[in-house]
Each structure stands twice: as structure tokens, then as C-alpha cells.
Amino acid sequence: MDPVQEGRVVIVGSGLIGCSWAMLFASGGFQVKLYDIVQEQVTKALEKIGKELKELGKTGMLKGTLTADKQLSLISGCTDLKAAVEGAIYLQECTPENLELKKKIFGQLDLIVSNDVILGSSTSCLMPSKLFTGLKHVKQCIVAHPVNPPYYVPLVELVPHPETEPSTVEKTYALMKKIGQSPVRLTKEIDGFALNRLQYAIISEAWRLVGDGVISSDDLDLVMSDGLGMRYAFIGPLETMHLNAEGMLNYCDRYREGMIRVLKTFGPIPDFAGKTEQKINQVQRLKR
Ligand code: NAI
């Protein structure tokens, strides 16, 4: 990573995710304006970031090549949105997951931003077409969904609106790489994006297996933590297929029938309530 960069980044909303983004951009050498509606919240956020950066510096876990003090000096607080966005190259919205609130904020931003700044949203599950449709600057808008905690988990899902310019996607991708994140591009929006769709597929089958009494809640978690998850911590499911046989074509030849047979036995979507919820909760609540 390079030292201090040209260009300023704005974070809108200085909660859990906003603070993480501020630290990530500062680690990449970018000046960061951390905006929130209340000064008290901004002050608290800056204090929290200062403490965390110092701690990360002491334990050798700090990202980037700049010292903790230098990174902290790149981040400043702000409660004036117009001043915050002036001259910015990128904005990351991190306000609460509420469609009406986010639409209002992007509507405000639409009136004051230049034609160059990219407007990213951290939303976990709101679709770009819900957030950005009708905005004058829709070409510059994109969902950039991080995974909690973003400082330690590098994946960022980039999800365009149908009218997002390809250059917006490419510039956001390059920026994420520059700050050490691991961006992935979805070519079109889909509910749950990619990560949550995979996560929910796993959760559903876990739920059915425990609900049907096939396996205990603890053992189900071991299947993942001491089995499947160990593979997937290093390589994805498709590369695993390729390496688990003599290549992908050979894997499909060998396992196609078996996979389809097993998949046909999957049950309906669980309701995540009732008896199975009680059963799983009884075990899991002891772990808090
Ligand atoms: P949070 O509740 O910790 O922070 C939200 C911040 O937004 C607060 O500081 C609040 O004062 C501020 N805010 C409220 N109204 C505002 C306004 N009009 N203008 C500017 N700031 C305003 O929320 P959190 O957890 O940081 O989530 C932010 C976004 O990130 C959400 O969309 C969430 O879905 C997404 N996200 C959250 C993850 C998580 O695990 N917490 C993971 C990935 C994405």
C-alpha cells in the first residue's frame, strides 16, 4: 500500500461499520471525513477509532504502512454534509438499515454532489434499484457491502444498479483493492447478494438436519468448524470441486448423479420458528 493518497473519502454514519471503513481508508493513506448527524456521536467515534488504532499499532495488527498516529491524523469529523462531500472522490454511506432513511440521505446527496464522486452504500440487504432509482447521479451509485468486522474480513460485494456506469464499478473495485479489501463484482442485483444467499442455503439445511433429529446442534456446528469450514476458509466451493477430483469435469462426471439425488431430498424452506427454534436455542444460549 502507498503512503498518503490524493483524494478524500467521506463516510456518512459513524457507527460500527462507518468507523471500520474510516480506519480502512486511512490505512490505505486516504484522508477521511467522518460525517454524522450529531456532533457527540462524531466525537465518540473519533475517540473509539483513536483507541483502536493505538491498540492495533501496539499489537502489530495495524493495516497499511503508516503509523497509528498518522492514520488517525488523516481522519476528521464533520456534521456539515455539504462541506464533507466537497472535493471527495468516494463516499461510503453507513447509516441504519432503513430504506426510507437511506433514500432520504441519497436524495440529499444527489442535490449536492459533483458528477465525479462515487456514492457507495454499505447496505446489507437493500437492493440498488430500491435505493438509487430516480437519482440524477444514479450512474455514480453502487452498493459496496462489507462483511462484519470489515477491518478483519476483507470481502466487499459490489452490486450495481441497472443504470450504474461500468466505470463506477471498476473505480470502486480498484479503490477497494488499494485499501487491501477483497472486492467481488455482481453483474446484476439479486436479493441477498452472493454472501447471504450462500449463508442462507447452509443455515436452511443445518436447520432441517437438527429439526429432523438427524444430528445435534453441537455436532452440526462441528461439521462446519472442523470439516467443511476448514476447506472453505482457504478455497471456495468451486475450486474445492476442481481439486477434489481430477479436475472439474471429472468431479462432475463422478458426483453429478449423487449431488442431484441428495439435493432432491432437501426439504422445504424452514420457518425458523417453533420447536426447532426452541431446540437450537436451548443449546446455543448456554454459549453466550
Ligand atoms: P450503526 O447503528 O452502528 O450506525 C449507524 C450510524 O448512522 C449512527 O452513528 C447514526 O448516528 C448514524 N446516522 C443515523 N441517521 C443518520 C443520518 N441521517 N445521516 C448520517 N448519519 C446518520 O449501524 P451499523 O451496524 O454501522 O450499520 C450501518 C450500515 O452497514 C447498515 O446499512 C447495515 O446494514 C450495514 N452493514 C452492517 C453490518 C453489521 O454487521 N453491523 C455488516 C455489513 C453491513
Side-chain angles (χ1 to χ4, degrees):
M1 273 177 232
D2 303 329
V4 179
Q5 304 283 334
E6 292 284 323
R8 196 159 43 73
V9 168
V10 183
I11 309 294
V12 176
S14 62
L16 182 70
I17 297 299
C19 286
S20 262
W21 275 118
M23 288 164 62
L24 283 166
F25 282 110
S27 78
F30 287 94
Q31 284 198 24
V32 179
K33 274 268 178 246
L34 189 55
Y35 167 85
D36 210 300
I37 28 173
V38 219
Q39 181 57 49
E40 201 189 337
Q41 170 59 28
V42 178
T43 309
K44 247 177 41 196
L46 290 173
E47 280 169 13
K48 184 181 135 207
I49 289 173
K51 267 194 209 151
E52 273 190 48
L53 287 177
K54 284 211 167 72
E55 197 54 40
L56 289 164
K58 268 195 231 153
T59 53
M61 299 278 285
L62 190 68
K63 290 196 167 198
T65 52
L66 302 169
T67 63
D69 282 342
K70 182 66 200 171
Q71 292 189 24
L72 185 59
S73 77
L74 290 174
I75 306 172
S76 58
C78 188
T79 52
D80 178 343
L81 192 56
K82 199 155 187 242
V85 297
E86 206 164 305
I89 58 159
Y90 182 82
L91 179 146
Q92 182 77 30
E93 171 275 319
C94 308
T95 59
E97 190 74 347
N98 175 309
L99 178 61
E100 288 317 309
L101 175 68
K102 284 191 195 283
K103 274 174 70 172
K104 194 173 130 206
I105 291 166
F106 279 105
Q108 285 169 353
L109 287 166
D110 202 32
L111 300 175
I112 57 175
V113 294
S114 71
N115 291 331
D116 306 315
V117 64
I118 292 174
L119 305 177
S121 172
S122 300
T123 181
S124 303
C125 49
L126 300 170
M127 303 262 259
S129 58
K130 291 265 187 289
L131 283 176
F132 307 135
T133 295
L135 295 179
K136 202 169 62 180
H137 293 91
V138 62
K139 290 177 186 170
Q140 297 154 236
C141 294
I142 189 162
V143 165
H145 172 229
V147 184
N148 199 31
Y151 198 80
Y152 301 98
V153 183
L155 186 78
V156 182
E157 293 183 286
L158 303 182
V159 192
H161 181 279
E163 291 173 66
T164 300
E165 286 230 316
S167 67
T168 300
V169 181
E170 291 323 306
K171 284 184 200 159
T172 310
Y173 186 90
L175 183 63
M176 293 299 152
K177 288 290 244 191
K178 200 160 206 165
I179 63 169
Q181 294 302 90
S182 180
V184 293
R185 288 170 279 224
L186 273 69
T187 56
K188 55 183 176 188
E189 65 176 25
I190 184 163
D191 206 5
F193 311 148
L195 183 138
N196 276 327
R197 292 180 76 88
L198 289 180
Q199 176 165 243
Y200 296 158
I202 291 171
I203 290 176
S204 312
E205 185 53 11
W207 200 269
R208 285 187 291 257
L209 288 171
V210 175
D212 291 348
V214 174
I215 190 167
S216 72
S217 175
D218 277 338
D219 279 358
L220 185 289
D221 276 344
L222 279 175
V223 171
M224 197 48 118
S225 63
D226 287 14
L228 199 52
M230 294 184 97
R231 289 181 187 166
Y232 288 175
F234 299 101
I235 53 173
L238 301 178
E239 194 175 350
T240 302
M241 289 166 82
H242 183 65
L243 297 178
N244 249 356
E246 286 146 38
M248 178 59 85
L249 301 183
N250 179 255
Y251 185 96
C252 291
D253 261 358
R254 281 197 210 175
Y255 301 115
R256 178 182 292 121
E257 254 176 53
M259 282 193 291
I260 294 170
R261 191 191 66 241
V262 172
L263 282 166
K264 280 185 178 160
T265 67
F266 278 35
I269 299 170
D271 58 5
F272 302 109
K275 270 193 198 157
T276 308
E277 183 191 27
Q278 296 299 327
K279 186 173 173 180
I280 295 176
N281 183 47
Q282 258 177 18
V283 178
Q284 298 301 334
R285 74 194 165 93
L286 303 173
K287 297 177 186 166
R288 278 217 151 221

